[in-house]
């Protein structure tokens, strides 16, 4: 296997991990934001569930309803960069910077490698 193909496979695996991390951030935000146990549960479980459904339908590589490139980019911004804002708001600034930089680097590589 060629070295570039290995790096491309690693980048795709990283993208999958970033999807999982984004969902975890949405859940973390929901549990920290809710005022009562019920709202914490609804936000903490419901938000990542809704995001996962939207991503699966419209944004994933095997999306049921593929979007045009500009709309897909907007969905990616929503799914991957809003967690950066949420991490900042929750006071985990270091995590926000790390996650945001990795997301941007991953997206740049995906663009150049046409993934």
């Amino acid at each position: 296997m060629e070295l570039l193909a290995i790096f491309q496979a690693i980048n795709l695996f990283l993208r999958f991990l970033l999807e999982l991390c984004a969902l975890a951030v949405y859940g973390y935000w929901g549990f920290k934001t809710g005022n009562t146990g019920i709202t914490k549960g609804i936000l903490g479980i419901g938000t990542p569930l809704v995001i996962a459904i939207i991503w699966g339908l419209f944004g994933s590589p095997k999306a049921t309803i593929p979007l045009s490139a500009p709309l897909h980019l907007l969905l990616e911004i929503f799914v991957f960069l809003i967690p950066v804002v949420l991490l900042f708001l929750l006071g985990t600034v270091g995590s926000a910077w790390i996650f945001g930089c990795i997301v941007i680097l991953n997206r740049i590589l995906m663009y150049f490698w046409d993934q």
Side-chain angles (χ1 to χ4, degrees), residues 63-102:
T64 308
I65 307 166
L67 298 175
S68 65
L71 289 176
H72 192 272
L73 182 61
L74 284 174
L75 181 60
E76 283 187 62
I77 289 169
F78 179 76
V79 170
F80 292 103
L81 292 182
I82 286 183
V84 174
V85 174
L86 295 177
L87 287 170
F88 271 114
L89 293 175
L90 291 168
T92 56
V93 176
S95 297
W97 277 106
I98 291 168
F99 183 73
C101 289
I102 293 171

Side-chain angles (χ1 to χ4, degrees), residues 5-61:
I6 293 170
F7 283 127
Q8 289 174 332
I10 290 170
N11 195 50
L12 287 176
F13 181 68
L14 176 62
R15 179 59 163 217
F16 175 69
L17 292 179
L18 289 171
E19 291 172 10
L20 296 178
C21 288
L23 293 174
V25 170
Y26 281 111
Y28 179 68
W29 167 82
F31 283 115
K32 289 290 189 176
T33 301
N35 294 328
T36 66
I38 292 174
T39 57
K40 287 177 187 272
I42 291 171
L43 290 173
I45 295 170
T47 304
L49 182 61
V50 168
I51 297 296
I53 290 169
I54 291 170
W55 183 250
L57 286 174
F58 301 105
S60 72

